[in-house]
Amino acid sequence: MTNREITIVHLYPEKMNIYGDNGNVLVLKRRLEWHGYEPHVIDYNVGDAFPEHVDILVGGGGQDSGQISIHDDLMKVGPRLQELADHDTPMLLVCGLYQLFGKFFKTADGTNLKGIGIFDIETHATNERLIGNVISHNDTFGDIIGYENHSGQTYLGERAQPFARVKKGAGNNSQDKHEGARYRNVIGTYLHGSLLPKNPRIADFMIEIAVRKRYGDFSPQVIDDLFADLARDVASQRPR
Ligand code: GLN
């Protein structure tokens, strides 16, 4: 294999990037290097030409105002994102972009922000802010540790699969104990923190899919996750 490049597209880093969500891109980049690949990160912001080639796509959270400012552009690139999702591209969308990958987000002033509908979910602003440390569980990834801060509450439609089940905290809403959603290799989650430094299994899952899709096989290196494990221990013992 001569070419080992993997392209990560970071969706709207200027407007959608809070509570350290940028750390997800840093982790993917560094772990790709540790596995012997050459990451190439493209920032995609409002008005940019959408990249020709995408191996991994990552997007973060933002205030309602950030969501409103990227909304028109997201509607334009939505069909391309749907096509990538349907072709099994690994993607991670946190909080504000998770909401807009769904059917709609109804904001506190009643505005109905249409989403791109990759997830069969809907989100409604509430007066209750769900804030604090979260532990959720997924059969593939085990315990997932992160931090949530959102007033939008999300409900899954019939075609949506939850990403994880909440053990501590709220997750999608204050009722059903679902956290996030999953469509093919697209993961939507409320968890900041950032997520991937404390959940490297999710990062390696995304990397493995991207590398196999592009190059046919993947031979991972053994990575020493001592610090990630220590961070997981500390974070999981924090009070809500
Ligand atoms: N503005 C959205 C909410 O509060 C998203 C917040 C976020 O991305 N953390 O529901």
Side-chain angles (χ1 to χ4, degrees):
M1 196 190 300
T2 50
N3 191 345
R4 295 175 72 90
E5 184 177 289
I6 290 287
T7 300
I8 302 170
V9 173
H10 191 181
L11 201 56
Y12 306 123
E14 284 177 6
K15 302 282 184 191
M16 301 297 291
N17 179 13
I18 50 174
Y19 312 124
D21 285 341
N22 185 44
N24 293 324
V25 175
L26 299 180
V27 166
L28 288 166
K29 194 167 171 260
R30 181 50 62 90
R31 292 184 83 86
L32 274 160
E33 286 164 358
W34 285 340
H35 286 304
Y37 294 86
E38 290 161 22
H40 170 52
V41 178
I42 301 177
D43 285 351
Y44 174 81
N45 288 298
V46 170
D48 289 350
F50 198 82
E52 285 277 301
H53 184 83
V54 182
D55 293 309
I56 298 178
L57 183 128
V58 182
Q63 311 296 338
D64 291 12
S65 57
Q67 291 172 289
I68 289 166
S69 68
I70 56 104
H71 182 259
D72 287 355
D73 192 87
L74 181 65
M75 290 296 111
K76 272 191 241 151
V77 296
R80 177 81 176 108
L81 294 168
Q82 179 77 59
E83 181 182 275
L84 288 165
D86 290 342
H87 285 88
D88 292 328
T89 304
M91 304 188 192
L92 175 69
L93 291 316
V94 180
C95 202
L97 276 172
Y98 163 47
Q99 294 172 345
L100 293 180
F101 268 53
K103 291 194 297 188
F104 64 84
F105 171 35
K106 196 154 187 203
T107 66
D109 68 7
T111 307
N112 202 328
L113 272 188
K114 194 169 174 304
I116 56 174
I118 289 178
F119 296 123
D120 179 20
I121 60 167
E122 53 182 71
T123 302
H124 300 260
T126 65
N127 295 326
E128 184 188 11
R129 191 155 266 280
L130 304 173
I131 306 179
N133 294 303
V134 178
I135 303 176
S136 65
H137 187 86
N138 167 295
D139 288 343
T140 307
F141 303 116
D143 280 355
I144 301 168
I145 292 156
Y147 167 81
E148 65 184 329
N149 186 347
H150 53 109
S151 56
Q153 297 206 20
T154 297
Y155 291 88
L156 305 182
E158 275 178 7
R159 288 178 293 109
Q161 301 290 322
F163 175 50
R165 184 155 186 84
V166 175
K167 290 166 78 174
K168 178 170 96 178
N172 282 343
N173 56 63
S174 51
Q175 287 156 28
D176 62 24
K177 295 285 168 198
H178 288 151
E179 204 300 293
R182 169 94 185 254
Y183 170 73
R184 302 183 82 96
N185 294 323
V186 186
I187 295 170
T189 177
Y190 270 109
L191 301 191
H192 305 275
S194 24
L195 181 76
L196 296 182
K198 288 194 293 297
N199 299 280
R201 288 168 75 173
I202 302 176
D204 281 356
F205 162 83
M206 296 176 73
I207 287 169
E208 175 163 2
I209 290 166
V211 170
R212 281 192 194 282
K213 254 172 76 62
R214 180 136 181 205
Y215 296 114
D217 70 0
F218 176 61
S219 33
Q221 298 299 307
V222 176
I223 295 175
D224 179 355
D225 279 326
L226 174 68
F227 289 115
D229 291 342
L230 288 171
R232 287 172 65 79
D233 283 350
V234 171
S236 60
Q237 284 163 38
R238 282 203 194 115
R240 163 75 172 150

